[in-house]
Amino acid sequence: MNELNRLDLYKQMVRIRQYEARILQEYHADKSPAWDIGAGLIPGEMHLSAGQEPAAVGVCAHLKKGDAITAPHRPHHFALAHGVDMNAMTAEIYGRLTGLSHGKGGHMHLFDPDNHFSCSGIIAQGYPVACGQAMAFKRQGTDHVAIAVAGEGAANQGAFHESLNLAALWNLPVVFVIEDNDWAISVPRSHSTANTSNADRALGYGMPGVRVEDNDVEAVFEAAGAAIARARNGDGPSLLEIHTLRLWGHFEGDAQAYRGADLDTVNDRDPIPRYAATLTELGDLTEDDVATIAAAADAEVDAAIEFATSSPEPTAADALDHVFA
Amino acid sequence: MTATETPAAARRITTAKAMSEGIALEMRNDPNVFVMGEDVGAYGGIFGSTTDLFDEFGSERVIDTPISETGFIGAGIGAAVEGMRPVVELMFIDFYGVCMDQITNHMAKIHYESGGNVNVPMVLMSAVGGGYSDAAQHSQCLWGTFAHLPGIKVVVPSNPYDAKGLMISAIRDDNPVLYLFHKGGQGLVWMEKNPRSIAEVPEEEFTVPIGKAAVAREGRDVTIVTLSLSVQHSLDVAEQLASEGINVEVVDLRSLVPLDTETVLASVAKTGRVLVVDEDYRSFGLTGEIAAVISEHDPGMLTKPFRRLAVPDVPIPYARPLEQGVLPTRDKIAAAVRELMA
Ligand SMILES: Cc1ncc(C[n+]2csc(CCOP(=O)(O)OP(=O)(O)O)c2C)c(N)n1
């Protein structure tokens, strides 16, 4: 289990937030005057992860090169925390030839085989794939682990339940990570799930389950460390449910009228200023540090966007490549 | 403005609103009709198909479900078997993968397997289509896949009037009906739309028969057989080509199952030239089916070889130049018609 480095956790959270904030701007910049989802430099659906940084950062702090992640439709935070190249990822989001998938995938389909990172826009379908990666790691005699990430809404999909059973039955080195951000588009958890804790559901499948409250990055770090160590040591799967926060809409353009009073307090629950305050109190962070860390993140993001926007676009003929190996 | 101040016929609404009006009328007519799916409640359906229903009918009859498509589509089948008339939404047709067993082995086969003793009067509605960079898992049409499977009626409206009339017919039908609506034809405020996505629709109830194609535009030189959003594109192209002296007839299939072969054959007999425009994958699908219908009837009807325009057997890519490269855009439709006329 890696040692807690508070400043590293904070820097990684800020790096992700500055990235998402900038993509948010870029995404909306050229969709007006008549807002059109298909227009602009970044077209299509956009699911941003602002508010959910503690989940990705706390978990990925324990991963090493060769460990795998399957992420859902909201993948940026886990991609960045797991070491996916920011330039190539950004170029993919801009649909450029230099992107991870040469513009074929887009933001919901980021594939980085180097880092064993993938994502899918079909809810919960990364779970079985993570089991298969874990199966391979085990058969290949490595101590690598697979992390399967999805939202609390995904935990009502058959693939989730089948995967938990498979992983427990075959003692696979998988950690199932559920980001409970209270909402599945417009449907609150209370309207979708009878059992209030997915940690309890895990017990039913024969694996330990832990629920982390309060979107607390250090608590995530602790719980993930134990789960990942367990998987690495050959002791089998576990489930980690993290109560987190969807700071913005489900996708960009979501007016969130359904969200009611929950919206009023959302900014007060932002985990990044809160963690900055904690670190400041501990004497680990000064106001200057806050500014320097944000500036460093911005510079990296600027460079990635510059890389993406100066990269060539694919042409129609490229669409016919890559159907088969 | 009240209804009396506006003549009903002059009222213009979007395709999305037309769908939900059709559902609302049947919900008022028949207590057995109810709606379920993801975000169909207060949200009104991601693509507006259940607009305003929640306000009128409440959460007992307009039910938000968990993300459990096998569960709630299967539950729709069970409720239908017991005499209810559920309208169930699968948010995107691309999600069929997680619930296909309920659709094809249950919804589609129960009537036949029971020797005709059990009916499944259910509507499964789902959004199809691309054109706005939603990539490979959120942009497919797949109607050919479902039309291939016996036991499901498949309807595919292209405009607000048909959307309402076909919805009412689908709910009243004693068979499972798959109702596929194109996102780009819904008239959504947040997506580029063809003006044809907003049109006059009577407020009162009316039906559009399932299994009957429409001649959306009459012409004598060449027939475009098509459906869904490609009807709107084809009508635009027909208007444009009229100025070049090319007189295009556009046949809007509206239903795939049953398929109105009579209307197709009559049009092709008249023009002698046919282009099938299909936003689904090219091979083993609708375009090949129409070619077969014509050649089984009389290959001599064609004065020019059969032409088709469809997605060239690749998943729908994300980047705009890639996606526009594979979709049947207006430019490609116009080019194909000109070639047929050359
Ligand atoms: C099988 C399937 N059903 C429905 C959807 C549409 N959809 C996309 S995201 C989403 C909500 C997901 O909620 P959750 O898993 O809690 O993740 P969050 O978006 O909150 O991060 C839904 C219903 C989908 N992509 N795949």
Side-chain angles (χ1 to χ4, degrees):
Chain A
M1 191 163 147
N2 290 347
E3 243 174 76
L4 174 67
N5 182 327
R6 294 194 167 94
L7 209 55
D8 280 354
L9 296 184
Y10 178 73
K11 283 180 183 166
Q12 187 68 281
M13 292 209 294
V14 171
R15 178 173 174 259
I16 293 167
R17 175 64 59 83
Q18 301 306 94
Y19 186 79
E20 296 295 61
R22 189 61 193 283
I23 294 290
L24 175 80
Q25 252 181 17
E26 292 278 309
Y27 179 78
H28 287 286
D30 44 10
K31 287 193 172 52
S32 301
W35 201 86
D36 171 8
I37 189 170
L41 277 177
I42 307 177
E45 283 184 73
M46 180 54 66
H47 313 82
L48 296 172
S49 64
Q52 302 188 187
E53 297 88 353
V57 171
V59 169
C60 293
H62 299 285
L63 298 184
K64 58 182 184 183
K65 187 96 181 173
D67 291 338
I69 297 185
T70 62
H73 57 287
R74 197 182 304 287
H76 298 175
H77 52 330
F78 272 92
L80 291 173
H82 192 46
V84 173
D85 179 63
M86 192 188 277
N87 284 357
M89 168 177 159
T90 308
E92 185 58 32
I93 293 170
Y94 278 80
R96 302 302 167 116
L97 276 175
T98 52
L100 288 168
S101 309
H102 317 298
K104 288 214 166 67
H107 118 100
M108 277 191 280
H109 310 113
L110 303 172
F111 290 87
D112 178 3
D114 228 26
N115 285 297
H116 302 259
F117 182 90
S118 65
C119 51
S120 170
I122 310 293
I123 293 298
Q125 302 308 312
Y127 284 120
V129 175
C131 289
Q133 290 176 297
M135 196 176 175
F137 296 153
K138 191 173 163 179
R139 295 172 81 94
Q140 290 160 352
T142 72
D143 72 345
H144 286 305
V145 300
I147 310 292
V149 185
E152 88 294 339
N156 294 314
Q157 186 66 247
F160 167 78
H161 296 273
E162 295 182 23
S163 299
L164 260 65
N165 181 55
L166 272 189
L169 182 70
W170 294 341
N171 201 44
L172 298 176
V174 192
V175 178
F176 299 98
V177 174
I178 298 184
E179 295 182 275
D180 175 8
N181 62 11
D182 296 327
W183 296 94
I185 313 185
S186 72
V187 179
R189 186 188 176 119
S190 58
H191 290 195
S192 73
T193 315
N195 189 331
T196 52
S197 166
N198 281 304
D200 290 350
R201 283 169 146 184
L203 300 180
Y205 285 104
M207 70 179 74
V210 175
R211 183 171 161 93
V212 175
E213 297 295 347
D214 286 337
N215 211 14
D216 175 348
V217 66
E218 290 188 21
V220 174
F221 179 85
E222 287 304 316
I228 291 168
R230 183 182 141 84
R232 265 200 222 297
N233 294 336
D235 296 330
S238 36
L239 181 147
L240 181 61
E241 178 162 60
I242 301 160
H243 191 199
T244 187
L245 174 73
R246 201 186 81 198
L247 200 53
W248 300 336
H250 169 74
F251 34 42
E252 283 316 308
D254 175 5
Q256 302 196 79
Y258 55 83
R259 208 162 160 179
D262 180 44
L263 261 192
D264 301 343
T265 59
V266 86
N267 288 326
D268 304 337
R269 287 177 279 150
D270 186 335
I272 292 185
R274 211 179 55 184
Y275 197 49
T278 306
L279 296 195
T280 308
E281 220 166 273
L282 289 170
D284 288 348
L285 193 74
T286 65
E287 246 175 65
D288 281 353
D289 294 338
V290 169
T292 322
I293 290 167
D298 285 339
E300 190 190 357
V301 175
D302 282 347
I305 288 179
E306 171 59 27
F307 174 79
T309 50
S310 61
S311 293
E313 287 189 89
T315 59
D318 296 322
L320 305 180
D321 298 339
H322 305 129
V323 179
F324 294 107
Chain B
M1 218 183 282
T2 62
T4 46
E5 283 169 301
T6 328
R11 194 189 57 131
R12 295 167 63 79
I13 59 173
T14 63
T15 306
K17 181 66 185 159
M19 285 177 71
S20 79
E21 261 190 26
I23 299 169
L25 282 165
E26 287 306 282
M27 288 182 81
R28 287 176 213 133
N29 285 339
D30 181 351
N32 286 312
V33 180
F34 70 97
V35 177
M36 62 178 160
E38 290 152 19
D39 305 281
V40 298
Y43 199 103
I46 297 296
F47 304 105
S49 55
T50 58
T51 304
D52 298 334
L53 295 183
F54 187 78
D55 288 345
E56 179 174 352
F57 300 102
S59 59
E60 281 296 307
R61 290 183 77 192
V62 184
I63 304 165
D64 274 332
T65 61
I67 311 170
S68 309
E69 288 86 354
T70 286
F72 70 77
I73 291 174
I77 296 168
V81 159
E82 294 301 333
M84 303 205 69
R85 291 189 176 263
V87 178
V88 182
E89 178 161 282
L90 175 62
M91 191 188 292
F92 289 68
I93 198 64
D94 310 71
F95 308 158
Y96 75 130
V98 303
C99 50
M100 197 59 165
D101 189 75
Q102 289 299 325
I103 297 172
T104 175
N105 276 323
H106 297 86
M107 188 180 89
K109 291 181 184 166
I110 285 175
H111 182 74
Y112 187 82
E113 285 174 329
S114 71
N117 287 323
V118 181
N119 287 352
V120 186
M122 154 173 174
V123 178
L124 180 60
M125 60 178 177
S126 191
V128 301
Y132 62 101
S133 289
D134 217 357
Q137 297 177 338
H138 290 77
S139 301
Q140 301 171 97
C141 287
L142 295 178
W143 39 60
T145 301
F146 292 90
H148 180 68
L149 301 165
I152 315 171
K153 292 191 177 179
V154 181
V155 302
V156 191
S158 73
N159 61 63
Y161 184 92
D162 288 348
K164 180 169 174 177
L166 279 169
M167 179 59 80
I168 294 175
S169 294
I171 295 171
R172 293 181 185 173
D173 202 289
D174 286 334
N175 297 284
V177 179
L178 179 65
Y179 182 113
L180 298 174
F181 56 96
H182 200 295
K183 288 160 259 173
Q186 286 292 87
L188 302 169
V189 295
W190 46 274
M191 199 180 283
E192 187 195 0
K193 60 188 150 297
N194 192 298
R196 300 177 205 278
S197 313
I198 302 175
E200 286 177 23
V201 178
E203 253 170 284
E204 59 275 15
E205 59 181 70
F206 64 92
T207 58
V208 168
I210 295 176
K212 191 88 198 83
V215 176
R217 180 190 169 100
E218 288 194 29
R220 56 172 187 275
D221 295 335
V222 52
T223 300
I224 298 179
V225 176
T226 188
L227 73 176
S228 192
L229 188 66
S230 296
V231 173
Q232 300 190 3
H233 294 334
S234 298
L235 289 171
D236 294 343
V237 168
E239 281 171 13
Q240 174 198 338
L241 293 181
S243 64
E244 297 173 23
I246 302 176
N247 201 323
V248 179
E249 178 145 307
V250 178
V251 174
D252 178 355
L253 289 172
R254 301 198 294 191
S255 297
L256 291 188
V257 180
L259 183 66
D260 180 359
T261 55
E262 230 172 81
T263 301
V264 172
L265 291 171
S267 177
V268 176
K270 177 168 73 171
T271 62
R273 298 181 181 92
V274 66
L275 168 69
V276 185
V277 179
D278 182 11
E279 200 187 310
D280 202 352
Y281 302 121
R282 180 168 53 210
S283 299
F284 309 100
L286 173 69
T287 55
E289 185 62 31
I290 300 294
V293 164
I294 294 169
S295 31
E296 280 175 345
H297 180 76
D298 175 10
M301 288 163 83
L302 293 179
T303 58
K304 280 288 180 77
F306 174 87
R307 284 288 311 246
R308 57 174 157 172
L309 183 57
V311 175
D313 299 331
V314 302
I316 311 290
Y318 162 67
R320 194 178 293 118
L322 298 174
E323 188 187 25
Q324 294 302 312
V326 304
L327 292 181
T329 52
R330 293 181 187 84
D331 285 353
K332 289 191 210 113
I333 298 170
V337 171
R338 286 193 192 102
E339 277 172 40
L340 265 175
M341 294 305 298

